[in-house]
Amino acid sequence: MPGLRAPSDYKEEPSRHPALVINSKEPFNAEPRRADLVSSYVTPVEFFYKRNHGPIPIVQDLHKYSVLFTGLKGSSKELFMKDIWKLPKYTVAATLQCAGNRRTAMSKTRKVKGVGWDVAAIGNAVWGGAKLADVLELVGIPKCSHVTSNGGKHVEFVSIDKCKEENGGPYKASIPLSQATNPEADVLLAYEMNGETLNRDHGYPLRVIVPGVIGARSVKWLDSINIIAEECQGFFMQRDYKMFPPSVDWDNIDWSTRRPQMDFPVQCAICSLDDKSVAKPGKITIKGYAVSGGGRGIERVDVSIDGGKTWVEAIKSQKAGNPYIPDGENSDKWSWVLFEAEGDIHGSTEIVAKAVDTAANVQPENVEVIWNLRGILNTSWHRVQVRMGHSNL
Ligand SMILES: Nc1nc2c(c(=O)[nH]1)N[C@H]1C(S)=C(S)[C@@H](COP(=O)(O)O)O[C@H]1N2
Ligand SMILES: [Mo]
């Protein structure tokens, strides 16, 4: 690919904020500290989690960079950045969450495979770019298509990074054509994040953003887009990011029995406290985030200061006059809410939060019942142990 280059080692990585908690250095996987995550509704780029499977690609010549479209009715087409920039620009506020968020806590039940994450493999950004539905229309696929005239039903995104899971090949994933061509699904080919040009870590020059879906489908550093009949057969679709029941382990797994995970379930986490928090008796403030997948909003967040015996409803804040977010009914449809509650504690205790989405889905009480060998989608009630003593809050 002229214009974009994928290094095979880690000598040319971008610089990163020193306050990030690094979970793996090569490939670079890092998340902000809990308290930094909820200090603003829109996550600053430098505090946004970084999830990679190989070295970060480098743009050598933006004018030569193009995305190749294959599987069209006629011959393949190439689009350059100038073609993408010409399309109407949309800004979509959307929360991106790694399916591995909260994996470390799941691994305490039983061993799981994958990079350990605390609760901050998630962020809320304002993505700017062209709608994929407009881009596909430009290459000849009408809006709201379920199947193309030559039998295409899925849209595959292929990157150029070198991933060991793909034997040195690129990261790839797909989404259904119906979602890709539906303007209301707000799938973007994004070139901006929070009003700035996308940076290398997050997919410069062009990435996909699939709102409401696990981060794994939002492919960074796009190289080609293929219209295909069956869903993408790559590692990250077929042998990873699938949700198995607790009875399945490495000795009895059959990957073909499950579909690739798409929407993420209802989730929340407390970010103002962790298991090292020490408090004095008296008022305690509990802050965190809540989000659900598929465009379902958050109906309610319940907080308990006695390990789940009694609950109070937290106050939610959303959007709150953020200058990046355009007004309009659905402008926060794909975004998290931040929540806050207060309680009065008298002794060491367990603080718990659980969210309910607009379809009345609620988080599961225990992590044990959703344990899975890859440690994905830990959405169990979030619990924090707070001790009494000389306060460090
Ligand atoms: N090309 C490419 N795209 C990728 C990945 C990757 O390793 N390579 N990781 C995916 C995963 S698992 C997640 S959670 C998100 C993370 O995006 P971020 O690093 O911008 O937060 O990107 C996705 N897109
Ligand atoms: Mo991820």
Side-chain angles (χ1 to χ4, degrees):
M1 141 77 51
L4 188 59
R5 177 170 68 83
S8 32
D9 61 31
Y10 293 91
K11 294 193 185 110
E12 296 163 279
E13 295 286 284
S15 61
R16 282 114 179 183
H17 198 284
L20 288 177
V21 181
I22 298 174
N23 299 320
S24 127
K25 228 173 150 188
E26 297 179 349
F28 188 76
N29 287 299
E31 64 187 305
R33 292 178 298 213
R34 287 186 187 186
D36 289 337
L37 185 61
V38 290
S39 58
S40 61
Y41 181 70
V42 173
T43 313
V45 173
E46 62 271 25
F47 285 154
F48 203 94
Y49 80 99
K50 297 167 188 10
R51 205 300 179 231
N52 301 300
H53 290 82
I56 310 297
I58 302 178
V59 170
Q60 288 179 305
D61 187 342
L62 191 60
H63 297 288
K64 291 201 181 126
Y65 168 77
S66 66
V67 181
L68 183 69
F69 290 75
T70 74
L72 307 174
K73 198 170 172 208
S75 53
S76 300
K77 290 200 171 80
E78 215 179 346
L79 293 188
F80 291 82
M81 282 310 292
K82 64 172 174 21
D83 305 314
I84 308 280
W85 286 328
K86 258 190 237 151
L87 292 169
K89 179 181 161 186
Y90 290 88
T91 51
V92 175
T95 296
L96 202 64
Q97 176 174 216
C98 183
N101 192 25
R102 304 182 56 202
R103 178 179 283 135
T104 300
M106 185 174 279
S107 70
K108 286 176 184 152
T109 297
R110 226 193 310 161
K111 201 174 156 235
V112 299
K113 193 169 152 191
V115 180
W117 296 94
D118 186 46
V119 305
I122 187 169
N124 189 47
V126 181
W127 309 95
K131 280 203 186 180
L132 181 59
D134 289 341
V135 176
L136 291 176
E137 192 175 57
L138 188 64
V139 297
I141 302 170
K143 299 255 165 76
C144 298
S145 296
H146 290 262
V147 55
T148 60
S149 53
N150 50 338
K153 283 189 176 160
H154 299 266
V155 179
E156 179 183 60
F157 311 112
V158 184
S159 181
I160 64 151
D161 50 349
K162 298 181 172 138
C163 309
K164 66 173 185 314
E165 293 88 343
E166 288 281 14
N167 301 313
Y171 190 94
K172 52 187 173 181
S174 68
I175 61 170
L177 182 76
S178 54
Q179 187 175 11
T181 56
N182 177 3
E184 301 207 336
D186 286 335
V187 181
L188 292 186
L189 294 194
Y191 44 79
E192 280 181 13
M193 184 175 179
N194 296 350
E196 292 164 22
T197 302
L198 203 62
N199 74 13
R200 279 182 61 207
D201 261 329
H202 296 290
Y204 178 70
L206 199 62
R207 77 173 300 172
V208 187
I209 289 294
V210 190
V213 164
I214 62 166
R217 313 304 174 211
S218 291
V219 176
K220 306 193 269 189
W221 316 292
L222 276 175
D223 184 41
S224 63
I225 295 183
N226 309 310
I227 312 304
I228 53 180
E230 305 285 339
E231 68 194 13
C232 165
Q233 294 301 304
F235 180 91
F236 300 102
M237 286 288 281
Q238 301 303 334
R239 303 183 68 83
D240 201 353
Y241 298 119
K242 287 186 175 185
M243 180 66 159
F244 282 90
S247 58
V248 172
D249 216 332
W250 296 103
D251 51 359
N252 64 354
I253 189 167
D254 178 356
W255 287 99
S256 69
T257 58
R258 299 284 149 189
R259 301 171 339 119
Q261 186 68 36
M262 299 305 277
D263 289 5
F264 54 77
V266 59
Q267 172 74 292
C268 85
I270 296 164
C271 295
S272 56
L273 303 167
D274 60 34
D275 288 333
K276 292 188 189 82
S277 296
V278 183
K280 309 194 289 279
K283 282 236 171 324
I284 189 163
T285 304
I286 300 126
K287 284 190 197 174
Y289 64 79
V291 66
S292 191
R296 286 173 292 279
I298 291 296
E299 178 67 22
R300 198 177 86 222
V301 182
D302 299 330
V303 172
S304 170
I305 55 164
D306 55 11
K309 286 196 215 68
T310 62
W311 300 89
V312 294
E313 188 175 340
I315 294 165
K316 299 180 294 175
S317 63
Q318 213 159 343
K319 203 163 86 165
N322 192 291
Y324 291 127
I325 301 179
D327 284 329
E329 239 176 282
N330 286 331
S331 59
D332 48 14
K333 177 175 175 188
W334 308 106
S335 288
W336 66 13
V337 302
L338 298 182
F339 68 84
E340 189 168 336
E342 268 199 352
D344 228 333
I345 55 171
H346 309 291
S348 296
T349 188
E350 184 178 78
I351 314 261
V352 193
K354 64 173 160 82
V356 180
D357 73 12
T358 50
N361 295 305
V362 61
Q363 295 174 249
E365 180 170 345
N366 293 303
V367 62
E368 290 79 8
V369 298
I370 50 166
W371 181 92
N372 62 92
L373 74 175
R374 280 292 281 110
I376 63 165
L377 304 179
N378 179 8
T379 56
S380 57
W381 293 4
H382 190 228
R383 299 160 190 274
V384 182
Q385 314 299 326
V386 175
R387 282 185 302 119
M388 280 297 114
H390 207 71
S391 175
N392 64 5
L393 296 175

